Amino acid sequence: MIDKLATLYNNVDVGKKTYIGPNTVVGLPKLSTIKRAEMENCNPDELTNPTIISEGCFIQPGAVIFEGTKIGNHSLIGSNVVIREENTIGDHTIIGSLSALEMGCVIGDYVTITTQVHITVEAVVENGCLFGAMVTTMNIRRPYYLVDPSLQKHTPPIFRKGCIIGCNATITPGVEIGYDAFVAAGAVVTKDVPPRKLVMGVPAKVVGDVPKDLYLEARLKTRKDRLSL
């Protein structure tokens, strides 16, 4: 079902049993597409890359999804979420209300990103990761774009499968969070986190091991059981 107040641009493919709520925008042209359309004297809608919303998705009111994004089966996009261009989002994934995904991210299956989370440009989030509210991620070590944009380099973080990021944590550029690792709430992570280790503090330091009942295998089994109801 597509609400009559939703806006779908050209080249948008919507799967079966998908709901798109009022005041949503899907397939919005990116800035470079608009500039190209101006040069070619045509409508930007004619130049957009394919946007795919797969089967069984639920897109809540006010979400904005730019062109070239693919959202997998049975995923949920919360109210007022902004998903920039060329993102790939897996199956059974949740993007919570007021969160923002910058361009070119790869988000896996069974990922939960809760409210007001910022995922930076080209970040990689593997299957089963969990982000608490207001997590911030970064991808620029030095703001060269202020003096010479040609020197600018993105170094996005990588989140390995099953890691958990607590509320209000900050993940700095180029950091890798190991599989099943746990970043405590409010931590500032400036170095790689080993697999299945708990880190906390500013800057974050290893303080122990992650309990086995928080490993991805245990959490995913519980979630799949709920989804099958």
Side-chain angles (χ1 to χ4, degrees):
M1 172 184 172
I2 300 174
D3 190 274
K4 63 182 181 180
L5 296 179
T7 299
L8 273 64
Y9 280 79
N10 190 35
N11 219 359
V12 173
D13 184 13
V14 178
K16 297 178 180 178
K17 299 181 179 179
T18 282
Y19 171 78
I20 298 179
N23 301 315
T24 57
V25 180
V26 183
L28 184 67
K30 58 187 177 181
L31 180 59
S32 61
T33 299
I34 294 172
K35 290 183 176 180
R36 181 184 162 199
E38 290 176 351
M39 294 177 62
E40 298 183 11
N41 194 28
C42 67
N43 191 320
D45 205 20
E46 300 173 13
L47 303 175
T48 55
N49 292 316
T51 302
I52 299 173
I53 312 295
S54 301
E55 181 177 337
C57 291
F58 193 89
I59 314 299
Q60 293 184 341
V64 177
I65 301 170
F66 280 71
E67 64 169 296
T69 288
K70 179 180 178 182
I71 299 176
N73 296 318
H74 305 289
S75 289
L76 185 150
I77 309 301
S79 298
N80 299 310
V81 166
V82 176
I83 299 176
R84 292 288 302 277
E85 60 267 23
E86 313 300 339
N87 279 285
T88 301
I89 298 171
D91 299 338
H92 298 285
T93 284
I94 298 170
I95 311 295
S97 298
L98 298 169
S99 291
L101 272 63
E102 301 294 351
M103 62 193 76
C105 298
V106 178
I107 312 294
D109 301 335
Y110 292 99
V111 171
T112 297
I113 295 173
T114 59
T115 302
Q116 296 186 44
V117 173
H118 173 261
I119 304 297
T120 192
V121 173
E122 297 177 353
V124 175
V125 180
E126 294 185 346
N127 295 347
C129 294
L130 170 62
F131 290 73
M134 299 184 183
V135 170
T136 299
T137 65
M138 304 163 62
N139 72 346
I140 297 175
R141 294 187 183 276
R142 296 184 180 182
Y144 284 117
Y145 63 88
L146 295 175
V147 292
D148 186 351
S150 67
L151 297 175
Q152 191 61 66
K153 181 180 179 182
H154 291 149
T155 53
I158 299 174
F159 300 88
R160 297 302 182 190
K161 63 179 183 179
C163 69
I164 300 174
I165 314 298
C167 297
N168 284 299
T170 299
I171 313 300
T172 58
V175 166
E176 180 172 319
I177 310 298
Y179 67 87
D180 287 331
F182 195 134
V183 176
V188 177
V189 181
T190 59
K191 297 180 180 179
D192 292 352
V193 178
R196 294 180 172 172
K197 294 296 182 181
L198 168 64
V199 301
M200 62 175 57
V202 181
K205 296 181 180 180
V206 175
V207 297
D209 297 322
V210 175
K212 291 184 178 180
D213 60 350
L214 292 180
Y215 289 179
L216 174 60
E217 183 179 2
R219 291 189 289 116
L220 198 54
K221 180 180 184 304
T222 301
R223 185 171 176 186
K224 283 182 177 178
D225 288 345
R226 292 203 306 269
L227 288 169
S228 68
L229 294 176

